[in-house]
Amino acid sequence: MHHYFSTANGNLFDKRISQYQYRLEIAVMFKIVRFPKKLESFFAPLEELFHWNHHDYFRTLVLLIVFSWGRRNITALYRHLDAHHWHHRRRFNNFLNLLRWPAQQALTLKASELIGRLDLKPGDTLFLIIDDSKKQKRGKAMQAVGWVKDPLSGNTIKGHQYLTATIMGRGYTIPFGIRLYIKEQDCSALNRPFKKITQLAAEIINEFEPPKGVHVRVLFDSYYLCPVVVKTCRKKGFRFVSTLKSNRNLFKKGRKLKAGSYGPNLFRRSRKKIYRLKKCHGTVRYRYVDAGWLKVSRLGRLHVIFSRKNGERKTLGLVTDDPKLSVIQMMKTYSQRWSIEVFFKDSKQLLGLGQYQNLSYEAAVTHLHLVCFAYALLPHIAIDGESAQGQRNVTAKMSTADLQNEVRRIVWDDLADHLKQFSSGTQIIKELERLLIAA
C-alpha cells in the first residue's frame, strides 16, 4: 500500500498527519537518510570502544534491527538505508565478520548505565536471570554448529546454543550478557578454550556489579543448580532461587532422599497450602508444602519447597539459600524468571535473534550482541519517556512492539526534518519517491 501527499499550497509541512499509525506506515516504507540525533545519547558513551568508523557501523545496524521489518540479515537490513548517504553493504558485512570491538564489555557497560538510570535505592532488589536458548542452523560450513536438544519440540536439532543473562529491575528487562556455546570438539579449530555452559553462567554472574547497597537474587533452572554456579553466587554475595532436579539427593536427619520421590510423597501426606499468583495472562493457583531447610548434595543446606500448579499432578521442587525469603516470597521471586522467556520470544520474533547467515563464529557472536543492544535501546527509550513525564509507572510498561514503533516515529520525524531543505512540494515528492522502499 503506497501513500502520497497532497496539499493545497504544495508545502508538505503545512499539513499535519493526525493518525499515529498512519505516520508509522509511511515511516517504515522509506529508507533512512541519516542517523537520528535523538538516539545518539544511547550510543555516544560506547564510541571510545571502537576503532576507525566501526562505531558508525555498530549503531546503524542496531538501529536497523529495531526499525526494520522481516529478516535481520545484512542483505535485508541494508535495503532500509539510502545508499547515497551510507557505506556500501560490504562494509557492514565485514563489520559482522571481523569482531574488532569488545562486544561483551560494551554490553556490560550499557547494562550498567541503564541500571544506573533506574534510581535504585539501598535495599532495593535486582534479579539476575540466567537461561539458554537454541537456534537451528542448516549451513553445513557454519562454525560452532552442533547437535543440541530443543526443549520446545523435544527433538535433537543441529544449530547454535547461546547462554543469556538479563537484569530485571523496576519492571524493565535489560540484556546483560550473551555467550555462544562451543562444543569441545570444535574449540581447537576455532582456537578457543572449551568452557562448559555452567562455567559460562558463572563467568557472567561474576561480571555483574550492582549499585552499592542493592540486593541481587540470581534466578535459574535446575540445570544451573551446580557447585560452580552456586559458589560464584556466594562469592559475590548474591542469593539465588532455582528449581530442583528430580534426581537430586536430599539429606534429612541422616536419611538420603531422592527429590523426585520425596517431593510427591511429602505432597501426598502433608497438608497443602494455597497461593494464588497474579500474572500478566491471569491468576495461577499453586498448592505447596514446605520441606524446610535440607542438605542438598554438593550444595549445602537450602530451603526446599514442593508445589503443583493449578490441577497438574507434576510436583516442582524449588530451593533458595536466602533465609529472609518466606515460601510465598520464594514463589513470587522465581516467577520473575518468566521475563527472560519474554525476552527470547520478543527478540526472536521482533528483532531477529538468530537470523544470521554468515558462516563465521565471529559473525554469530556479533549478531547476538547487536540484537541485545537493539533490545537495550527499547528500555532506554522508555526511561527517557518516563523522565520527560516526570513520573514512573512500572505497572503500565510499553510492549516491545510499542517501543519499536516509538523508534520508527523518531526516524520518521528525522526524515521530516531532512525534507525541510527542499523548497517546493514537487521536490519533496521526488525525494520521497527516491527513498521509497520497493514492496
Side-chain angles (χ1 to χ4, degrees), residues 110-120 126 167 174 208 211:
K110 178 51 64 177
S112 298
E113 177 195 325
L114 291 173
I115 291 169
R117 299 182 62 197
L118 297 180
D119 295 332
L120 297 169
L126 285 174
I167 307 295
I174 300 171
F208 182 51

Side-chain angles (χ1 to χ4, degrees), residues 220-223 225 241-245 316-319 334:
F220 43 80
D221 64 21
S222 59
Y223 184 84
L225 186 65
V241 182
S242 171
T243 50
L244 190 67
K245 276 187 177 181
L316 179 68
L318 203 63
V319 299
Y334 192 74

Side-chain angles (χ1 to χ4, degrees), residues 94-103 192 361-363 365-366:
N94 289 341
F95 173 81
L96 202 68
N97 281 294
L98 294 177
L99 195 56
R100 289 180 177 172
W101 59 291
R192 295 182 179 275
Y361 166 84
E362 289 78 11
V365 172
T366 301

Side-chain angles (χ1 to χ4, degrees), residues 327-339:
V327 173
I328 298 299
Q329 290 172 329
M330 281 176 63
M331 299 171 73
K332 289 181 67 176
T333 296
Y334 192 74
S335 70
Q336 299 292 332
R337 186 182 168 277
W338 177 251
S339 64

Side-chain angles (χ1 to χ4, degrees), residues 235-403:
K235 175 186 173 184
K236 296 287 292 185
F238 301 161
R239 298 296 187 177
F240 66 86
V241 182
S242 171
T243 50
L244 190 67
K245 276 187 177 181
S246 60
N247 63 353
R248 178 72 72 172
N249 291 325
L250 309 176
F251 298 88
K252 182 178 182 180
K253 297 180 180 180
R255 293 169 54 212
K256 182 178 178 181
L257 308 165
K258 282 288 185 184
S261 56
Y262 175 67
N265 289 337
L266 181 66
F267 207 89
R268 184 170 55 252
R269 66 174 183 265
S270 302
R271 183 175 180 180
K272 273 74 69 178
K273 295 183 178 180
I274 295 176
Y275 171 60
R276 289 177 173 84
L277 178 63
K278 290 185 178 180
K279 296 187 177 182
C280 58
H281 53 272
T283 300
V284 180
R285 176 177 175 269
Y286 290 96
R287 292 180 298 154
Y288 66 90
V289 293
D290 186 358
W293 287 79
L294 304 176
K295 183 180 178 182
V296 181
S297 59
R298 302 194 300 161
L299 302 177
R301 288 177 58 80
L302 300 176
H303 189 183
V304 182
I305 66 171
F306 294 97
S307 68
R308 289 179 181 176
K309 183 171 67 174
N310 295 329
E312 295 179 4
R313 296 185 60 83
K314 181 181 179 180
T315 304
L316 179 68
L318 203 63
V319 299
T320 186
D321 66 340
D322 192 343
K324 296 182 179 180
L325 286 182
S326 66
V327 173
I328 298 299
Q329 290 172 329
M330 281 176 63
M331 299 171 73
K332 289 181 67 176
T333 296
Y334 192 74
S335 70
Q336 299 292 332
R337 186 182 168 277
W338 177 251
S339 64
I340 199 170
E341 302 292 347
V342 176
F343 165 81
F344 282 131
K345 174 179 175 291
D346 286 351
S347 58
K348 288 178 179 179
Q349 294 182 1
L350 302 176
L351 300 175
L353 184 67
Q355 291 181 2
Y356 46 89
Q357 296 177 334
N358 303 63
L359 302 180
S360 69
Y361 166 84
E362 289 78 11
V365 172
T366 301
H367 172 90
L368 293 173
H369 281 87
L370 289 175
V371 173
C372 285
F373 273 104
Y375 198 98
L377 176 60
L378 303 181
H380 171 86
I381 296 293
I383 294 170
D384 276 352
E386 288 186 347
S387 298
Q389 296 170 7
Q391 61 183 1
R392 291 193 176 278
N393 184 6
V394 297
T395 61
K397 298 296 181 187
M398 294 176 69
S399 68
T400 300
D402 289 338
L403 289 168

